[in-house]
Amino acid sequence: KLYSPTSIHNQISNAKNALTGPENYTSRTYREEVTKRVFEEYEKALRASNAVDFDDLLMWSVRLFEENPDLREAYGQRFEHVLVDEFQDTNEAQYALLKHLSSVHHALFVVGDEDQSIYRWRGADYRNIQRFQSDFKNAQTILLEQNYRSTQRILDGAMAVIDRNANRTRKKLFTEQKAGEKIKLFAAADDKEEAEYVVQAVKAGIRGQKQNPSSFAVMYRT
């Protein structure tokens, strides 16, 4: 109960995404020491079964290219242009693989935004954008700053919050839409109070301001 299989496997998965095997896994806490022991036995079981897990597909591919220059050259020649979307959601192993695949033609095109990186919990590393800028110094950066969905007040509010983050590419978002209504902030004590506030706001809009129910949208992340 203390060390669930899912929890331990997540730690092993994160290690592999960072190209770390059991021999290089460092343990600073007792929980990490337990993870290291399980990691070692898990790898022995995989090798004995001549098997790989999902994370191995990336890690062993990277090692294959690192240890076999001729193979890396062959695949580098094969892929003249490499294009990657949602680049902020790649992990360290994926970035290493991309560098190998683009090592001959150096034609790597990536689309990404550090501000939209939300998958750190499953190994994504927004710092790959910074690594890309460092490794490909001649790359041209094109900022897509015009927004077509939101009003300017929404964009200004978002920028006021996210500009506080360090290690990001500065952007000035703008739109040709009107300024829009002012943003309202409500701090709820719990989820029930939050839900009640949303319901009452929608009811007030429909009854008091005669708005159409289809004018409302509730956005939330599960």
Side-chain angles (χ1 to χ4, degrees):
K1 291 181 180 179
L2 190 58
Y3 305 106
S4 70
T6 300
S7 173
I8 296 296
H9 185 259
N10 283 340
Q11 289 182 274
I12 293 174
S13 178
N14 288 337
K16 290 186 176 185
N17 287 336
L19 299 175
T20 301
E23 68 281 358
N24 305 120
Y25 189 86
T26 55
S27 54
R28 293 156 296 184
T29 65
Y30 184 67
R31 182 178 186 82
E32 289 176 344
E33 176 61 31
V34 171
T35 301
K36 182 178 176 68
R37 292 182 205 164
V38 176
F39 198 175
E40 291 171 344
E41 294 304 315
Y42 176 60
E43 286 301 289
K44 288 179 184 177
L46 284 172
R47 299 293 83 79
S49 302
N50 195 29
V52 293
D53 62 19
F54 185 81
D55 300 303
D56 284 332
L57 295 176
L58 287 171
M59 190 169 75
W60 285 104
S61 295
V62 171
R63 288 186 179 179
L64 196 65
F65 286 135
E66 286 177 349
E67 297 169 3
N68 299 273
D70 293 344
L71 193 66
R72 182 175 64 238
E73 174 80 14
Y75 277 90
Q77 288 284 1
R78 180 176 181 179
F79 296 103
E80 187 172 345
H81 298 94
V82 180
L83 292 80
V84 186
D85 195 15
E86 303 291 1
F87 186 62
Q88 75 277 354
D89 294 330
T90 56
N91 57 42
E92 195 171 338
Q94 289 170 323
Y95 180 57
L97 191 60
L98 287 171
K99 285 203 299 180
H100 288 311
L101 293 175
S102 59
S103 60
V104 175
H105 299 288
H106 304 288
L108 179 58
F109 180 93
V110 304
V111 180
D113 181 4
E114 309 100 309
D115 297 340
Q116 298 185 47
S117 181
I118 59 172
Y119 293 113
R120 186 66 185 266
W121 53 274
R122 71 178 191 196
D125 191 348
Y126 72 91
R127 291 174 298 180
N128 280 346
I129 293 179
Q130 296 161 8
R131 295 183 180 113
F132 173 82
Q133 292 170 329
S134 175
D135 294 337
F136 298 87
K137 298 187 184 303
N138 295 326
Q140 179 184 2
T141 300
I142 302 171
L143 297 180
L144 303 178
E145 297 174 301
Q146 184 170 3
N147 186 285
Y148 300 92
R149 297 177 179 175
S150 304
T151 61
Q152 192 60 50
R153 278 206 173 101
I154 293 293
L155 300 179
D156 292 343
M159 285 293 98
V161 173
I162 210 158
D163 269 343
R164 297 173 181 268
N165 288 350
N167 303 318
R168 59 179 290 271
T169 304
R170 296 285 167 183
K171 294 175 284 292
K172 187 170 180 59
L173 301 183
F174 70 93
T175 181
E176 294 181 353
Q177 297 190 49
K178 296 178 181 178
E181 296 182 25
K182 290 184 178 180
I183 299 171
K184 296 179 182 178
L185 176 65
F186 176 75
D190 55 29
D191 57 336
K192 293 181 175 60
E193 186 180 354
E194 180 183 36
E196 183 63 25
Y197 173 81
V198 172
V199 169
Q200 293 303 326
V202 173
K203 286 172 67 176
I206 295 172
R207 293 176 178 175
Q209 302 172 30
K210 305 302 181 183
Q211 291 176 302
N212 195 305
S214 64
S215 299
F216 297 89
V218 180
M219 293 184 292
Y220 60 95
R221 187 174 300 282
T222 57

